[in-house]
């Protein structure tokens, strides 16, 4: 046992005295020490129930012969952080979470870990830590929120943001807006659509690091408490069999995750997180491969914001395993990959059925023949631009219009709400990338404002920032290289014609190479307004969005 390094022998008597201070018995000190990483807090709705999940995990670990020990991880609520300086602190927490969890696990010599995350950066941050620490590890999340109900229709947080735009446009009044804000988020849990948190929790199942139902069982269901106990049993089984994260998170497993990502229509943020997690596992996952995966993977689900079904519906339809079962019918998955169950993917999904072909389309009758995410390239995005094409209106799949250029999110929102953006325009928001932000803010406010103002099927938005999984429409993010390092998006001028062709995977400005080069000669690097604190350190170390915004030592 790793923990023997701090428990056995005369030289570790001082360590034992500290365990005695914690109340450990002699019998408990003989057992494997299992760290339970609790993301519980009282500010994130997706985390307010995690204390219950942690208690259930502790029971499972103890019943299976381990000694459970809880320690914390931070988490930011992207919804609360949205639209102000707080969003600069969202993506950056992914590395804080990974670093602090690595520190705790290594410093105290835990034999195994159970990660209990839920929201956007919390899940990938802990997956990164799991790959680094590489002791037997299982993930069990806090679970998704139930859908809200507004006038008899299911709804979610994205509807709330769009309602603000509708109020600005005069299509709803103050009373209706108040009705929305009291009804769209009815329970604890990660917001109820296929947003980033739920995308990443679903992909823990696809990659093999979470048990069945981890991504879809609603937060308020007692079934999730049972799942948490099973996670405690599972991690002890992994410990006994010496199954570790890097045995599970192989290149083939990441390809499975990308494939399931395309079928589910996950958040574009997965294109940041999967490469970062793979990087920690010693695997370079180039996002240019995403189009190859997407071309062969049908999109089987249209969950909110792409459609009108929610996580609870996906759960009732059979969950992620049912999606994987459909994909296996066309040999789109590697079924030999090991998982935290101690069995392979093929063994896990062997008897699974698709219980609702309206929620999970059969493989021969998909929503789209291609996957939910596309990587675009062109003279605006020589490296990459990312779009959730499953959430794009058909009439916007090919679009051409004049650029409306803004150097920050706030200026763009002001223009949208003041009625200065017209049908056909292409809103360009730059200097919001990993370095430029810094922190690569999500642009849910402007995309929701566009939708709420009735422009969702006529206005596109491109940015070197990123989009919430709740965004819909022709929203193209992660444009790399970013403006802050002189990427071509910094050279676009007001009125330039932008040409978007999502089926052709292209994103271009209709300006000659010669003119762009003349503009480049005049471009000057902008001094950062951030000079101290964590953001300043992050800004110096972070790489581009197409590399997963990982930190470079």
């Amino acid at each position: 046992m790793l923990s023997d390094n701090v428990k056995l022998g005369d030289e570790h008597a001082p360590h034992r005295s500290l365990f005695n201070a914690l109340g450990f018995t002699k019998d408990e000190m003989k057992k494997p020490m299992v760290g339970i990483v609790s993301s519980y807090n009282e500010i994130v709705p997706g985390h307010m129930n995690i204390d219950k999940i942690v208690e259930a995990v502790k029971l499972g670990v103890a019943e299976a012969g381990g000694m459970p020990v809880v320690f914390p991880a931070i988490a930011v609520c992207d919804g609360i952080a949205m639209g102000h300086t707080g969003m600069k602190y969202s993506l950056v927490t992914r590395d804080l979470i990974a670093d602090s969890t690595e520190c705790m696990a290594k410093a105290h010599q835990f034999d195994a870990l159970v990660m209990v995350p839920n929201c956007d950066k919390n899940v990938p941050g802990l997956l990164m830590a799991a790959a680094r620490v590489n002791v037997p590890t299982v993930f069990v999340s806090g679970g998704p929120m139930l859908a809200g109900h507004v006038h008899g229709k299911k709804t979610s947080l994205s509807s709330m943001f769009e309602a603000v735009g509708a109020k600005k446009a005069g299509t709803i009044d103050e009373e209706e807006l108040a009705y929305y804000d009291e009804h769209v988020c009815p329970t604890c849990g990660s917001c109820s659509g296929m947003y980033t948190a739920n995308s990443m929790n679903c992909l823990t199942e696809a990659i093999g690091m979470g048990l069945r139902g981890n991504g879809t069982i609603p937060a308020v269901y007692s079934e999730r408490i049972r799942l948490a106990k099973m996670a405690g049993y599972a991690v002890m089984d992994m410990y006994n069999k010496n199954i570790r994260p890097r045995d599970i998170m192989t290149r083939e497993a990441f390809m499975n995750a990308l494939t399931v990502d395309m079928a589910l229509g996950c958040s574009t943020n997965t294109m940041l997180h999967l490469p970062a997690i793979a990087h920690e596992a010693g695997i370079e996952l180039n996002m240019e491969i995403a189009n190859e995966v997407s071309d062969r993977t049908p999109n089987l689900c249209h969950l909110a914001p792409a459609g009108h079904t929610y996580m609870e519906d996906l759960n009732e339809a059979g969950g992620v395993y049912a999606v994987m079962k459909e994909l296996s019918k066309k040999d789109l998955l590697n079924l030999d990959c090991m998982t935290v169950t101690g069995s392979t993917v093929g063994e896990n999904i062997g008897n699974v059925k698709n219980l609702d072909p309206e929620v999970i389309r059969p493989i021969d009758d998909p929503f789209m023949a291609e996957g939910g995410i596309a990587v675009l390239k062109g003279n605006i995005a020589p490296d990459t631009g990312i779009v959730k094409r499953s959430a794009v209106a058909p009439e916007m799949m090919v679009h051409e219009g004049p650029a409306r250029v803004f150097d920050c999110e706030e200026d763009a929102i002001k223009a949208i709400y003041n009625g200065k953006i017209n049908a056909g325009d292409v809103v360009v928001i730059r200097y919001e990338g990993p370095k430029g932000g810094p922190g690569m803010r999500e642009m849910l406010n402007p995309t929701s404002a566009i939708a709420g103002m009735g422009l969702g099927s006529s206005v596109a938005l491109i940015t070197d920032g990123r989009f919430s999984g709740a965004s819909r429409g022709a929203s193209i993010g992660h444009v790399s290289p970013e403006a802050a390092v002189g990427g071509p998006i910094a050279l676009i001028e007001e009125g330039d014609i932008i040409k978007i062709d999502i089926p052709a995977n292209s994103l271009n400005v209709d300006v000659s190479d010669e003119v762009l080069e003349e503009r480049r000669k005049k471009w000057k690097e902008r001094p950062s307004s951030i000079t101290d604190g964590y953001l300043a350190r992050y800004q110096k170390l972070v790489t581009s969005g197409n590399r997963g915004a990982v930190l470079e030592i």
Side-chain angles (χ1 to χ4, degrees):
M1 289 190 291
L2 274 177
S3 60
D4 287 347
N5 292 330
V6 290
K7 292 189 301 190
L8 296 185
D10 291 347
E11 65 274 24
H12 294 130
H15 304 77
R16 288 197 298 276
S17 71
L18 294 169
F19 285 117
N20 286 327
L22 288 166
F24 278 37
T25 67
K26 286 184 170 59
D27 285 341
E28 286 173 332
M29 278 195 261
K30 295 175 184 176
K31 296 177 180 180
M33 192 164 64
V34 180
I36 301 172
V37 187
S38 171
S39 305
Y40 170 77
N41 63 50
E42 295 182 343
I43 189 62
V44 184
H47 291 237
M48 62 184 287
N49 65 316
I50 278 178
D51 56 340
K52 310 295 190 299
I53 305 297
V54 167
E55 288 303 312
V57 173
K58 286 175 67 177
L59 281 172
V61 168
E63 287 179 6
M67 178 55 193
V69 183
V70 179
F71 65 88
I74 64 168
V76 163
C77 177
D78 278 22
I80 295 173
M82 194 71 66
H84 57 92
T85 191
M87 182 46 69
K88 294 178 184 291
Y89 287 89
S90 171
L91 179 61
V92 305
T93 64
R94 187 185 70 182
D95 296 276
L96 281 174
I97 291 162
D99 292 349
S100 59
T101 303
E102 174 195 356
C103 290
M104 289 293 287
K106 293 281 193 179
H108 302 103
Q109 295 289 284
F110 284 102
D111 298 298
L113 297 167
V114 179
M115 306 293 197
V116 192
N118 211 25
C119 288
D120 294 33
K121 312 310 165 302
N122 197 233
V123 183
L126 290 179
L127 281 164
M128 290 163 68
R132 286 186 202 172
V133 178
N134 201 35
V135 297
T137 303
V138 175
F139 276 67
V140 56
S141 75
M145 185 183 291
L146 293 176
H149 288 82
V150 173
H151 305 309
K153 294 183 178 179
K154 286 185 177 181
T155 189
S156 61
L157 184 64
S158 54
S159 302
M160 186 70 250
F161 278 90
E162 290 177 16
V164 175
K167 170 67 166 52
K168 295 281 187 181
T171 57
I172 66 172
D173 59 17
E174 191 72 35
E175 184 179 356
E176 180 71 354
L177 184 66
Y179 186 85
Y180 266 81
D181 71 47
E182 291 172 0
H183 290 87
V184 299
C185 295
T187 70
C188 61
S190 48
C191 297
S192 55
M194 187 52 81
Y195 309 152
T196 306
N198 292 326
S199 295
M200 290 308 303
N201 280 321
C202 286
L203 293 186
T204 60
E205 293 187 54
I207 209 168
M209 291 295 293
L211 300 175
R212 182 182 184 184
N214 183 55
T216 59
I217 297 170
V220 295
Y221 282 15
S222 297
E223 185 181 358
R224 183 154 290 276
I225 300 297
R226 297 196 296 272
L227 182 73
K229 291 176 183 176
M230 290 192 292
Y233 305 153
V235 79
M236 291 309 300
D237 185 56
M238 290 178 70
Y239 173 79
N240 291 328
K241 295 176 179 175
N242 196 29
I243 300 172
R244 298 169 181 257
R246 291 197 182 197
D247 300 324
I248 295 169
M249 289 195 281
T250 61
R251 175 170 292 280
E252 292 76 17
F254 281 104
M255 294 305 293
N256 280 351
L258 266 176
T259 301
V260 174
D261 189 332
M262 298 300 174
L264 284 172
C266 288
S267 163
T268 53
N269 279 317
T270 61
M271 298 294 105
L272 277 177
H273 300 322
L274 287 175
I277 299 160
H279 179 74
E280 298 294 349
I283 298 165
E284 293 306 312
L285 195 65
N286 188 327
M287 278 300 97
E288 292 187 21
I289 201 171
N291 283 340
E292 180 186 325
V293 176
S294 187
D295 287 345
R296 63 173 181 257
T297 306
N299 177 230
L300 304 181
C301 299
H302 262 194
L303 286 92
H308 301 289
T309 52
Y310 295 82
M311 296 306 296
E312 62 205 66
D313 302 311
L314 178 59
N315 188 62
E316 295 301 318
V320 176
Y321 274 25
V323 174
M324 295 174 74
K325 181 68 173 182
E326 290 292 343
L327 293 170
S328 72
K329 294 175 182 177
K330 290 287 181 73
D331 297 323
L332 294 173
L333 297 176
N334 186 314
L335 301 181
D336 296 326
C337 290
M338 179 53 61
T339 73
V340 294
T341 66
S343 300
T344 64
V345 169
E347 291 167 335
N348 287 344
I349 67 173
N351 297 318
V352 173
K353 294 180 180 179
N354 179 356
L355 302 177
D356 191 338
E358 293 302 312
V359 176
I360 303 171
R361 287 284 185 88
I363 193 75
D364 292 321
D365 183 28
F367 283 102
M368 299 191 312
E370 301 86 18
I373 292 176
V375 176
L376 310 185
K377 299 186 80 169
N379 65 358
I380 296 175
D383 292 337
T384 53
I386 306 290
V387 64
K388 185 173 181 176
R389 64 178 162 197
S390 60
V392 178
E395 58 268 35
M396 290 297 290
M397 295 296 279
V398 177
H399 180 75
E400 183 175 320
R404 306 298 308 280
V405 182
F406 304 93
D407 286 350
C408 68
E409 177 189 7
E410 288 82 359
D411 289 350
I413 292 171
K414 189 182 299 183
I416 296 165
Y417 282 152
N418 288 338
K420 295 183 178 179
I421 302 301
N422 304 306
D425 287 348
V426 179
V427 175
V428 178
I429 305 178
R430 62 194 181 190
Y431 294 100
E432 290 284 8
K435 282 186 181 293
M440 204 178 186
R441 288 195 288 181
E442 287 186 342
M443 302 291 148
L444 178 56
N445 272 5
T447 58
S448 298
I450 287 168
M453 298 285 282
L455 298 170
S457 59
S458 61
V459 169
L461 193 157
I462 68 173
T463 179
D464 53 7
R466 58 196 178 90
F467 293 106
S468 164
S471 292
R472 61 188 176 98
S475 304
I476 301 163
H478 305 201
V479 169
S480 300
E482 62 174 296
V485 297
I489 190 172
L491 310 179
I492 298 172
E493 295 183 357
E494 186 82 6
D496 285 348
I497 298 302
I498 306 292
K499 295 183 175 181
I500 300 167
D501 190 335
I502 295 173
N505 301 317
S506 70
L507 176 64
N508 290 285
V509 57
D510 192 16
V511 174
S512 70
D513 292 344
E514 291 77 16
V515 170
L516 286 176
E517 186 56 36
E518 285 302 312
R519 293 180 185 178
R520 183 179 301 283
K521 291 175 183 176
K522 298 175 184 177
W523 178 83
K524 293 181 180 179
E525 185 176 351
R526 292 171 21 142
S528 176
S529 60
I530 305 296
T531 58
D532 58 10
Y534 181 63
L535 286 181
R537 295 197 299 275
Y538 182 88
Q539 190 172 46
K540 290 178 181 177
L541 297 173
V542 70
T543 60
S544 64
N546 70 303
R547 293 180 57 191
V550 297
L551 301 187
E552 208 161 48
I553 300 172

